[in-house]
Amino acid sequence: SYNTPLLREKVRDSLLEAHAILIQNIRNSSAFDKSEKKNKILLKVLENRKFATSLYGTARFTSPLRDSVMAKTLIWLLDSIYTNEKVIVWAHNFHLFKTYPKHIEKYPAGQKYPTGKALMGSELTKEIYTQSYIIGLYMHSGELGIGLNRTNTISKPKKDFLECYLNASPYEVSFFDLAGFDQMNENNAWMF
């Protein structure tokens, strides 16, 4: 079988060796300018992939750890690469939570997120959030890719869900600007 632990370990080890050789060859190349933004990003991507590969097939390969790496990488990009530029971060709404929602006890895949920890959004600095304008994307219908060439059909949302309000608009694209809401009540608690 292609999905045995031994085969996964062999694939992981081969990939780790390839990553290490690639990173070392790039760093040692006289033609590679390490001061260029695109090259700094390339090395960061390769290092992150090597780290993720090292966890493949182990108990440490978890979504919370992935979120933590995403947060650290975003902070690195903002502090080191795009210091005085506007940046668009495209991420699933779940990753951008500032605080862990108390009503969600398990991530859909079954892994627990510790309260207030390991979501990318919870590890970002206050400064990043105060300088940010976050746009959430909502799906009303269709299919959602869930990895490994699998999809899930989007369940029809209830009539009072945001997706239905957006879908009822006569326009092809609709927005609700929620930035002005600063007082929480029973009807808008989900935004906080």
Side-chain angles (χ1 to χ4, degrees), residues 2-10 12 57:
Y2 289 108
N3 202 17
T4 66
L6 184 59
L7 182 62
R8 280 195 304 266
E9 285 178 27
K10 284 183 180 181
R12 180 190 66 217

Side-chain angles (χ1 to χ4, degrees), residues 19 22-23 26 42-50:
H19 276 97
L22 180 61
I23 291 169
I26 288 172
L42 173 67
L43 282 173
K44 185 69 165 176
V45 167
L46 291 172
E47 288 165 0
N48 283 351
R49 286 197 173 269
K50 182 181 174 199

Side-chain angles (χ1 to χ4, degrees), residues 169-186:
S169 165
Y171 305 103
E172 189 174 323
V173 177
S174 301
F175 296 93
F176 280 128
D177 185 356
L178 306 174
F181 291 90
D182 55 3
Q183 296 295 317
M184 183 167 52
N185 63 47
E186 65 184 47

Side-chain angles (χ1 to χ4, degrees), residues 122-139:
S122 70
E123 294 193 19
L124 298 178
T125 64
K126 258 191 170 126
E127 182 182 23
I128 290 172
Y129 267 107
T130 58
Q131 296 177 10
S132 299
Y133 186 84
I134 296 171
I135 298 174
L137 304 175
Y138 290 85
M139 298 171 286

Side-chain angles (χ1 to χ4, degrees), residues 13-91:
D13 293 346
S14 293
L15 286 171
L16 282 174
E17 186 178 343
H19 276 97
I21 291 168
L22 180 61
I23 291 169
Q24 182 180 4
N25 286 343
I26 288 172
R27 282 199 174 122
N28 293 339
S29 170
S30 59
F32 186 78
D33 183 356
K34 293 183 220 51
S35 65
E36 283 189 43
K37 279 184 185 182
K38 68 180 183 177
N39 292 340
K40 289 179 182 180
I41 293 169
L42 173 67
L43 282 173
K44 185 69 165 176
V45 167
L46 291 172
E47 288 165 0
N48 283 351
R49 286 197 173 269
K50 182 181 174 199
F51 174 71
T53 301
S54 73
L55 302 176
Y56 179 69
T58 70
R60 291 184 56 222
F61 188 72
T62 64
S63 291
L65 184 60
R66 180 173 163 244
D67 268 72
S68 181
V69 171
M70 288 190 301
K72 288 178 178 115
T73 301
L74 179 56
I75 292 167
W76 175 81
L77 283 168
L78 295 172
D79 289 346
S80 303
I81 303 296
Y82 302 110
T83 53
N84 295 311
E85 299 177 49
K86 291 185 180 183
V87 175
I88 295 173
V89 178
W90 190 297

